[in-house]
Amino acid sequence: MSEVPAPREAAPAADKLVVLDNVNKHFGALHVLQDIDLTIARGEVVVVIGPSGSGKSTLCRTINRLETVDSGSISIDGKPLPQEGKPLAKLRADVGMVFQAFNLFAHKTVLENVMLGQTKVRRTDKQAAEKKARALLDRVGVGNQADKYPAQLSGGQQQRVAIARALAMDPKVMLFDEPTSALDPEMINEVLEVMKQLADEGMTMVVVTHEMGFARSAANRVVFMSDGRIVEEATPDQFFNNPRSDRAKDFLAKIL
Ligand code: ADP
Ligand code: MG
């Protein structure tokens, strides 16, 4: 059994967009993140997979400081995560997040959902914010839904609006935490296609997903987590065809 991550070529310092250095976190007695070292280069697409409860969501949430860490450090674009206030709001804009549940504002229209962060956090004027929101809604294929309320849209449409809303902030990196897990099967692909397009356009992305087709076609690297640790890191080809750790082999045997 080999559980040591394979050596990778180090990204040049300027290209290290997200760096987690020896991060540890507990929930009470549970050591949910254990000695996490993870560097994500600008433009890289990293797919995080692993059994339920292995710490994938917590890992994502620490990157935009929805969770604090007990030790270790996290930096984005060379700067440590801010603690609070306006710098923290800006961080959350720089680090776009799309969750399993769509998390749109129910009492705002689709268009307003995509405009809000722009006007409040980025201080974009209303006209420019609307123009950008409409362009992004077009880009994710829901331009004709702009004046509806979230509940009037399908799950797949809502999730694409959530992606547009995050993109409206011009994020440096996008985090996706099981973005298709709550969708009816026929809607999964329309969301994955938008994500694949983003990846092809060079967006830096961290994607927690069980969609192995997406991992194979879009990921530069697969990170496999188990029990709060990164057990294995590899290219999708290496990981799916030749997993090294027993835990990864067991996991793949169950899901493939
Ligand atoms: P995953 O996304 O891989 O399923 P999570 O990061 O959601 O894993 O959870 C990892 C572990 O941490 C699980 O055992 C979960 O029950 C626990 N956990 C997650 N969030 C909290 C919390 N806010 N308080 C206490 N335990 C939590
Ligand atoms: Mg999770």
Side-chain angles (χ1 to χ4, degrees):
M1 183 163 104
S2 75
E3 304 229 325
V4 183
R8 270 178 300 119
E9 275 180 48
D15 282 345
K16 290 181 181 177
L17 185 57
V18 181
V19 179
L20 287 86
D21 184 14
N22 201 20
V23 165
N24 281 276
K25 180 173 181 68
H26 296 76
F27 285 122
L30 178 69
H31 197 170
V32 60
L33 295 179
Q34 303 188 34
D35 305 329
I36 299 288
D37 288 318
L38 181 64
T39 299
I40 297 161
R42 213 178 294 277
E44 195 179 15
V45 178
V46 172
V47 165
V48 180
I49 67 174
S52 176
S54 56
K56 306 179 300 295
S57 293
T58 305
L59 177 73
C60 281
R61 292 166 58 83
T62 62
I63 296 175
N64 66 358
R65 218 170 181 284
L66 288 172
E67 301 284 356
T68 56
V69 301
D70 299 337
S71 66
S73 68
I74 303 177
S75 66
I76 307 276
D77 224 354
K79 292 190 207 100
L81 297 193
Q83 307 290 305
E84 58 193 5
K86 278 194 181 151
L88 183 57
K90 184 171 176 303
L91 170 83
R92 300 245 167 89
D94 283 344
V95 181
M97 183 138 182
V98 176
F99 301 87
Q100 179 175 337
F102 320 123
N103 290 86
L104 297 173
F105 300 110
H107 302 291
K108 305 235 175 251
T109 66
V110 163
L111 183 68
E112 287 164 348
N113 264 278
V114 183
M115 286 175 62
L116 200 63
Q118 296 186 70
T119 52
K120 291 260 186 277
V121 179
R122 295 294 195 206
R123 301 272 166 217
T124 312
D125 73 67
K126 253 189 140 174
Q127 216 180 347
E130 177 171 344
K131 191 172 175 210
K132 185 167 184 174
R134 289 194 186 279
L136 282 167
L137 289 169
D138 277 342
R139 183 165 148 203
V140 300
V142 290
N144 53 353
Q145 311 292 323
D147 299 320
K148 292 192 181 163
Y149 286 86
Q152 296 173 286
L153 271 56
S154 73
Q157 288 171 326
Q158 288 185 56
Q159 199 59 308
R160 285 180 285 150
V161 174
I163 294 172
R165 184 175 61 171
L167 289 177
M169 309 303 279
D170 297 319
K172 293 179 175 170
V173 51
M174 287 278 286
L175 310 177
F176 293 88
D177 188 3
E178 300 201 25
T180 60
S181 297
L183 296 177
D184 291 333
E186 72 273 20
M187 291 168 192
I188 290 174
N189 277 338
E190 67 194 42
V191 173
L192 292 177
E193 275 162 24
V194 168
M195 292 166 59
K196 178 71 167 66
Q197 186 190 326
L198 265 184
D200 290 344
E201 288 165 6
M203 177 61 75
T204 309
M205 295 166 57
V206 178
V207 184
V208 179
T209 186
H210 300 299
E211 295 294 332
M212 297 303 135
F214 177 84
R216 278 181 187 276
S217 69
N220 299 111
R221 178 156 48 118
V222 172
V223 167
F224 174 71
M225 285 186 76
S226 177
D227 294 328
R229 290 183 182 278
I230 294 179
V231 173
E232 193 158 335
E233 287 184 63
T235 64
D237 241 20
Q238 286 170 334
F239 183 77
F240 291 113
N241 298 334
N242 194 16
R244 282 171 291 120
S245 65
D246 290 344
R247 279 189 272 182
K249 285 175 194 164
D250 285 350
F251 178 75
L252 288 172
K254 281 179 196 140
I255 61 160
L256 293 180

